[in-house]
Amino acid sequence: MLRHLLIAWVFASSLPLRAQRPEPADLVITRAHVVTMNAAKDVIEDGAVVIRGERIVAVGPAAVAARYTARKTIDARGALVLPGMINTHTHAPMTVFRGLGDDVPDRLRRFIFPLEKNLMNREFVHWGGLHGVVEMIEGGVTTFVNSYYFEEEFAAVVKQAGMRAVLGQTVINFPAPDAAEPYGGLALAEKFARAWRGDPLITPAISPHAPYTVDVAHLKKIAALSAELDVPVLMHLAEMTEEMTLLRKDHNMTPVEFLDSVGLLNRRLVAAHCIFVTDSDIALLKARDAGVAHNMVANIKSAKGVAPALRMFDDGLRVGLGTDGPMSGNTLDLIGQLGYVAKVHKLDRKDRNVMPAIKVVEMATLGGARAIHREADLGSLEPGKLADVIIVDHESTAMVPLFDVYSALVYAASPRDVRTTIIHGRVVMEDRKLLTLDTAAVRARMRDITRRINAALAAGLK
Ligand SMILES: [Zn+2]
């Protein structure tokens, strides 16, 4: 019904304009198989997407393109055009450590924290972060949510790359790579948030690491600062059995109840994982309007469990998908996650009907936008929204034949099928060539960093 209304509106509004002069536009994508992810889930087989400045001005059948004269036209024959994907939880600069500490117990304390203590620095964040950004742009991610150190350094390079991001400065109860004193990250977070608030691409945030690594007094300070500056809080939540045990022992609460008690459970929170949440936790997360990042691949690789993301999504919570850091899930694109999200939830429920492909694509796009409270601007291809658009080939071998676009994307697509990535109206990758970054230079720096990390590992970590 809505689909018919939309088509009718497009034709009705195009008729009287036909005699008028074409309107200016910056970019028109034509001959596209458009997967809008709008409320009616319209798919337009021969469609057009028109962009002016940083916003989408029209989406409709191919004829819509004739109403505009564009500075640039992209012929998207043989490809799907869809909203850019939103990675709601990662630690992108950790690409420098990718592949270290896999398949071993207690990875966090035996590998991640010592590696960071000994080796992580501003330079590694800069180049490792850029490498992660390249991977995400190449994989069709247009917005990501990141928690790490030296976040103001990272913000500058993310902006230069033309990516959209929510960047959280980490606050933790021990000396960190960017802060000699425990909780030194809090002052850095405040400075970062004040400096970057209002930026069109970068949303600064505060990232207390987890309920078991930040004390009550600092969590309350962070809640107050987040409210004062109206910046998001990014945090791991209900991820580990030890976390559950500790909070039960110290506070007689679940992690979700605990966050509520310190004033952090609200619309500014993006909670990563939420594996161990009770029915009442889910109701509380919904009542407080918090966002949830579901990191399926990282969670099954760590054998922690399957978060009730399907239940949360169906209950109307703000659930998006995330990759977690490259030491956890190894890759940063979302296309590689989609099939796992669909299939593991089916296995978990012993029901092949649940978590259909269309729902997984919604989680990767509009769901991610909801998780960061940006659904008015992001997550679907609709006039008025920001122009974060990806063009994905459907002519690779595994994508042929194409009967159901959602099935193809979830069960057969590869991140390497992404042809072109547009963020904030700017083409940042075209025909797989990055236009905002020198990828060869980034790769060369990564090789050098890998050599230095190997030398440090051979000498032994403290
Ligand atoms: Zn994480």
Side-chain angles (χ1 to χ4, degrees), residues 4 18 21 70 77 142 205 342:
H4 294 136
R18 199 160 279 164
R21 278 158 50 120
R77 246 181 314 178
T142 52

Side-chain angles (χ1 to χ4, degrees), residues 89 91 236 273 324-325:
H89 179 67
H91 317 284
H236 299 105
H273 304 301
D324 210 344

Side-chain angles (χ1 to χ4, degrees), residues 365-383:
T365 53
L366 196 56
R370 289 191 200 113
I372 58 172
H373 284 265
R374 294 293 305 277
E375 69 271 23
D377 271 334
L378 303 171
S380 61
L381 301 181
E382 297 179 76

